[in-house]
Amino acid sequence: MATSASNKTPTSKTKRTVVFVLGGPGCGKGTQCEKIVKDFGFLHLSAGDLLREEVKKGTPVGLNCDKLMKEGKLVPVEVTLGLIEKAMTASGKSRFLIDGFPRAIDQAKAFEAKICRPDKVLFLECPKEVMEQRLLKRGESSGRSDDNQATIIKRFETFQKESMPVIGFYDGVDKNIVAKVSSVPPPNQVYEVVVSVLRNIPGLEVKA
Ligand code: UDP
Ligand code: MG
């Protein structure tokens, strides 16, 4: 926890910008986030990466996360939200790109209650067959315990049942909040559309 003297957390006067990057497993969230970070001053927080760091620490919480991730299930929101909030506060940044969270409506509500409403929900649309091919390819080198056929099937089920409703939830909250972008084309082509979406967020200028 930062002390008041060195606390670089934006004050209430600093406008905080939060963009959620959502979409099915293997749709290209991480790839697009890497590109966004290069052009816009965002801190990229991948919920999955934060969880994998926790798993590496070997804590009881980490061990439980590992089990749930291998089963393609969702980790309790207290854990993910806690890690995200901690990283946001510690960064002292004001622009956050949150990748792979929220993954269920209750998670969206919890973020809103504890932190804020996102400025944009970028939803990367991709057919299941394409995502599956990408995950299997990634699994050849990722070393991720969930990039295998059996877990991929479960991750798709969880995505359809729990995560897809998040998009409908935000559409209901504000009809201008969700931007759907197809992530089937090559990454650079997808990114051109992503940039046009981000440029519509008030106050965001391209760095480069
Ligand atoms: N996960 C979770 N909550 C989150 C983010 C990830 O429970 O907010 C778990 C879930 O088991 C998921 C796994 O972590 O299947 C991997 O998530 P990641 O976002 O890394 O996968 P991706 O969608 O990028 O392939
Ligand atoms: Mg990812």
Side-chain angles (χ1 to χ4, degrees), residues 144-159:
R144 272 178 56 165
S145 62
D146 59 351
D147 282 344
N148 60 75
Q149 190 78 63
T151 308
I152 288 169
I153 292 170
K154 292 178 187 149
R155 287 161 71 191
F156 282 141
E157 283 170 8
T158 302
F159 172 68

Side-chain angles (χ1 to χ4, degrees), residues 96-133:
F96 304 96
L97 198 56
I98 302 189
D99 157 4
F101 178 95
R103 272 176 138 89
I105 290 178
D106 68 311
Q107 300 192 355
K109 288 181 178 166
F111 188 93
E112 184 134 351
K114 235 181 160 192
I115 304 175
C116 64
R117 175 164 296 173
D119 295 84
K120 199 47 91 187
V121 176
L122 177 64
F123 178 58
L124 299 178
E125 280 182 308
C126 196
K128 197 171 142 180
E129 296 68 36
V130 176
M131 294 196 284
E132 187 177 17
Q133 285 313 308

Side-chain angles (χ1 to χ4, degrees), residues 23-30 46-52 65-77 80-81 84 98-104 107 135 138 144 146-147 151 154-156 158-159:
C27 70
K29 300 184 290 291
S46 155
D49 286 350
L50 290 170
L51 290 172
R52 282 182 283 277
C65 291
D66 191 36
K67 181 172 168 287
L68 291 166
M69 288 165 89
K70 279 184 187 139
E71 292 169 355
K73 293 182 183 160
L74 299 184
V75 166
V77 64
T80 33
L81 190 53
I84 291 169
I98 302 189
D99 157 4
F101 178 95
R103 272 176 138 89
Q107 300 192 355
L135 289 173
R138 185 171 80 183
R144 272 178 56 165
D146 59 351
D147 282 344
T151 308
K154 292 178 187 149
R155 287 161 71 191
F156 282 141
T158 302
F159 172 68

